[in-house]
Amino acid sequence: DKEVARATSFVVRHEGAAHSTLRDVRHVYDKTKLSTDLWRLSNQSIFSHLLHVLQSRYLLPHLSVAVANSSSSFLLDLDAHTLTATSTFTVSLPSSPSSNARL
């Protein structure tokens, strides 16, 4: 429930139909949770490692650079046994003492 609410878009394709409401996604989950491991992959925590890599590469303390995940979309296709996840990362750095510039 939390992952569906936090994502910009969360769509589950099952038996030829696309489901995007929390109620429909929960129903499909209840029917299929034991038959596939894709559900465990379809949460925003999969981006935590990627965010760590980005921050360790671009987060330079002397420049005050910050990296944040600003949106995430998931397409969990149970028919094709695939998960497509898209994320937008915002990189920001201070342009003055009281504001941030976004790249």
Side-chain angles (χ1 to χ4, degrees):
D1 291 358
K2 291 179 186 176
E3 299 304 331
V4 174
R6 280 193 293 224
T8 306
S9 170
F10 195 105
V11 178
V12 176
R13 208 174 277 149
H14 178 62
E15 296 177 344
H19 307 276
S20 59
T21 67
L22 180 57
R23 180 176 166 242
D24 290 347
V25 169
R26 187 181 296 132
H27 178 70
V28 173
Y29 173 77
D30 289 340
K31 285 175 45 176
T32 62
K33 65 184 172 188
L34 298 177
S35 62
T36 180
D37 288 334
L38 285 175
W39 286 105
R40 289 191 291 171
L41 297 174
S42 62
N43 65 60
Q44 292 184 1
S45 65
I46 63 173
F47 292 112
S48 64
H49 179 70
L50 180 57
L51 185 58
H52 175 72
V53 170
L54 288 171
Q55 286 180 333
S56 65
R57 180 173 175 117
Y58 295 108
L59 185 64
L60 305 172
H62 64 284
L63 295 178
S64 299
V65 174
V67 180
N69 180 6
S70 54
S71 69
S72 298
S73 299
F74 296 89
L75 171 58
L76 179 61
D77 191 333
L78 297 174
D79 297 336
H81 304 287
T82 61
L83 169 67
T84 303
T86 305
S87 187
T88 301
F89 291 98
T90 302
V91 178
S92 61
L93 52 111
S95 59
S96 70
S98 62
S99 67
N100 283 337
R102 292 188 180 236
L103 301 175

